[in-house]
Amino acid sequence: MCSNVQSTYRALRGFLCQEGALGGLRASYGRIGGVSTSPVGLLETATAEIEAHVGAAGWGQRPAVFALVRADRFGTDEPETAAQLGIDGALGDAFVPIEQDALPDGPLDEALAQIAWPDSVAGCALSQEIVMLPPTAEADVPDGPESLAAAANHPDRREARLVVGVLREGVTAAVLRLRGTAGSEDSELLIGPDLAPNLAEALLATLH
């Protein structure tokens, strides 16, 4: 849901809520003090926060794009919004994730190719649900256009929520949560920089 606060942090090609306001913004930085303040650590924290925000809406969500703005810059450029969200200068280089409007229908790589960010955006992130197969099942999936449908219908498939974040300087981070099966709980969050290198590369291209 959009707020009624105008934001200057928008992709140059749009993707804002129709009102031109901030998208569903999560500003839960309670764990910032307990994690690394390196660029990698702060980016991992931001991607984990995004995963929690998207996960709160349940499974079956469309891909979502987020601008990543440093908290100190956000507080300077948008003091009223920062005050509403409880963001202050003490957060320093921590990232404020700003959810953009829904991506257009069509291939994800084509949608990302249309995005360009203003210099005030330090990085960006994307959340999407994916289907994963064990190595033993890869031989069952044909190459070509039928591969996605075959993977989605494979009996050994696992659904997962993937969030990939990147910074202008080339730092990447990713988190992955497997969906529980047969009524079991979702898995713990997996964190690693190389979970989706191709997606990270595509996101980096939107920043340059």
Side-chain angles (χ1 to χ4, degrees):
M1 179 180 295
C2 297
S3 73
N4 59 2
V5 182
Q6 297 295 315
S7 175
T8 59
Y9 296 108
R10 59 192 67 191
L12 298 183
R13 294 298 295 272
F15 304 134
L16 278 179
C17 299
Q18 291 181 354
E19 297 91 336
L22 289 177
L25 185 66
R26 180 180 177 85
S28 176
Y29 292 103
R31 292 177 294 168
I32 290 293
V35 301
S36 170
T37 56
S38 69
V40 173
L42 293 176
L43 183 59
E44 288 179 346
T45 298
T47 56
E49 291 287 349
I50 290 171
E51 193 282 328
H53 163 68
V54 175
W59 292 90
Q61 304 301 312
R62 295 185 57 183
V65 174
F66 296 78
L68 299 178
V69 182
R70 296 202 181 271
D72 53 359
R73 172 122 192 197
F74 188 85
T76 299
D77 292 349
E78 306 226 16
E80 292 184 4
T81 307
Q84 291 181 22
L85 297 172
I87 298 170
D88 57 38
L91 293 173
D93 287 338
F95 295 108
V96 179
I98 303 175
E99 185 174 358
Q100 306 295 293
D101 201 7
L103 289 167
D105 293 331
L108 182 59
D109 57 346
E110 294 181 7
L112 293 178
Q114 300 178 50
I115 298 179
W117 300 100
D119 292 341
S120 53
V121 172
C124 63
L126 183 136
S127 169
Q128 68 172 148
E129 294 181 12
I130 61 174
V131 174
M132 302 181 65
L133 292 177
T136 54
E138 293 178 357
D140 300 333
V141 178
D143 295 330
E146 300 85 7
S147 60
L148 290 179
N153 293 302
H154 197 282
D156 294 331
R157 71 188 183 279
R158 291 291 304 274
E159 297 176 32
R161 182 183 302 111
L162 172 70
V163 181
V164 177
V166 300
L167 302 181
R168 287 188 184 275
E169 56 265 40
V171 176
T172 66
V175 298
L176 179 77
R177 191 183 301 276
L178 288 171
R179 185 175 186 175
T181 59
S184 63
E185 294 184 358
D186 296 339
S187 73
E188 295 294 323
L189 205 61
L190 304 176
I191 299 176
D194 301 319
L195 294 177
N198 291 338
L199 179 55
E201 183 177 349
L203 290 172
L204 282 169
T206 70
L207 293 163
H208 300 287

